[in-house]
Amino acid sequence: QVTDAPHGALFGSISPDGKYVYVLKDQNGDEHGHFVRIPFSGGKAIDTTPNLPPYFSYSVSTSTHNDVLCFTATLEGKNKMFIVPCHQNTFESPREVYATAASLSDPICSSDGRYVCVAETDNSARGSTLLLIANDTSNGSIPMRSRVFDALIPLAFSHIADSPTVFALARRGRWYRPIFYNFARKRISEISHHLFRGDVWVLRWDEDRGTILLCDVYEARQTLYLYDMRT
């Protein structure tokens, strides 16, 4: 047990290396607070953003070595994205890299911490785009945008591709399908198969082995598939 709040803890994020749990520590269950990092084995919670006012957010994403943390939060009437560098267990001041009145998804961070990605959904129903933002303090934070989809959920960065490539769920028309989006080439690769009937959700992606565990949900029936990317 890593939390002990009278009102409970609704959600948490586990770091890629399994060392830490990130939890939004709020006051009296109002769901506004700060993300804290707690060792998975238990121990002292460290506030990751002590200089920010309380914010509303669901999850964080970190690089493999926990030296870059990113999250989206509702703050000051806007939806914002923050990057927080961490060196030797000390969190630096959070850097606001994007702000919008539109909706933002939970973000993802590349394994090396060089990029973060989030889906922005235009409330005027013009669709959703993936935003790729480089973690580069010298160049500012000008995002690269994907093509427009009906809806998007970013899942993970490829750590094998030679240019920024994001694995995501995209809806074009009726159903969600897994896609890869290469930002440099502006190229979409969709995971499709004649067996798919409804929304196809990703349960696990093992890039090194080239396999994806998928769940096809159609008319309240769930069907699991193991997809071989090589064949």
Side-chain angles (χ1 to χ4, degrees):
Q1 181 175 338
V2 295
T3 66
D4 186 19
H7 51 274
L10 292 179
F11 39 77
S13 304
I14 301 175
S15 63
D17 59 6
K19 290 183 178 180
Y20 302 104
V21 180
Y22 293 87
V23 179
L24 187 73
K25 185 177 181 179
D26 57 6
Q27 297 295 324
N28 303 317
D30 64 358
E31 298 183 8
H32 284 73
H34 285 180
F35 279 115
V36 297
R37 187 176 78 178
I38 309 169
F40 198 88
S41 56
K44 183 180 178 182
I46 298 175
D47 193 335
T48 64
T49 55
N51 298 326
L52 285 182
Y55 48 79
F56 174 79
S57 184
Y58 279 111
S59 68
V60 305
S61 179
T62 68
S63 59
T64 299
H65 299 295
N66 297 297
D67 53 356
V68 176
L69 178 149
C70 69
F71 65 95
T72 55
T74 302
L75 192 62
E76 297 170 341
K78 286 191 174 183
N79 294 312
K80 300 185 176 184
M81 185 168 184
F82 294 92
I83 292 177
V84 187
C86 181
H87 296 291
Q88 297 180 345
N89 285 327
T90 300
F91 289 96
E92 299 181 3
S93 296
R95 183 162 55 94
E96 182 183 318
V97 295
Y98 193 69
T100 179
S103 300
L104 295 178
S105 71
D106 290 336
I108 56 173
C109 181
S110 63
S111 59
D112 58 8
R114 291 178 59 193
Y115 299 97
V116 294
C117 179
V118 68
E120 180 179 26
T121 301
D122 193 316
N123 295 325
S124 61
R126 287 182 293 184
S128 299
T129 56
L130 293 172
L131 306 183
L132 179 76
I133 302 174
N135 183 16
D136 184 355
T137 56
S138 62
N139 255 347
S141 304
I142 302 174
M144 292 179 62
R145 291 182 176 270
S146 73
R147 298 185 191 176
V148 179
F149 297 82
D150 292 338
L152 282 164
I153 304 172
L155 300 176
F157 277 89
S158 168
H159 66 265
I160 292 177
D162 56 2
S163 58
T165 301
V166 168
F167 189 36
L169 290 178
R171 184 165 57 81
R172 290 187 288 181
R174 191 175 180 186
W175 307 114
Y176 276 105
R177 292 289 183 267
I179 66 163
F180 290 93
Y181 191 87
N182 186 304
F183 278 90
R185 299 179 178 87
K186 299 186 183 300
R187 186 174 67 193
I188 303 167
S189 301
E190 182 178 320
I191 302 294
S192 60
H193 199 277
H194 71 276
L195 291 174
F196 295 162
R197 302 185 68 188
D199 286 323
V200 176
W201 305 99
V202 176
L203 303 187
R204 180 174 174 81
W205 173 38
D206 190 330
E207 187 175 19
D208 294 320
R209 289 189 172 92
T211 57
I212 311 173
L213 182 61
L214 302 170
C215 181
D216 183 7
V217 183
Y218 182 70
E219 294 183 347
R221 181 180 177 87
Q222 301 178 55
T223 307
L224 298 182
Y225 294 103
L226 188 63
Y227 188 91
D228 190 328
M229 297 173 63
R230 294 161 296 188
T231 63

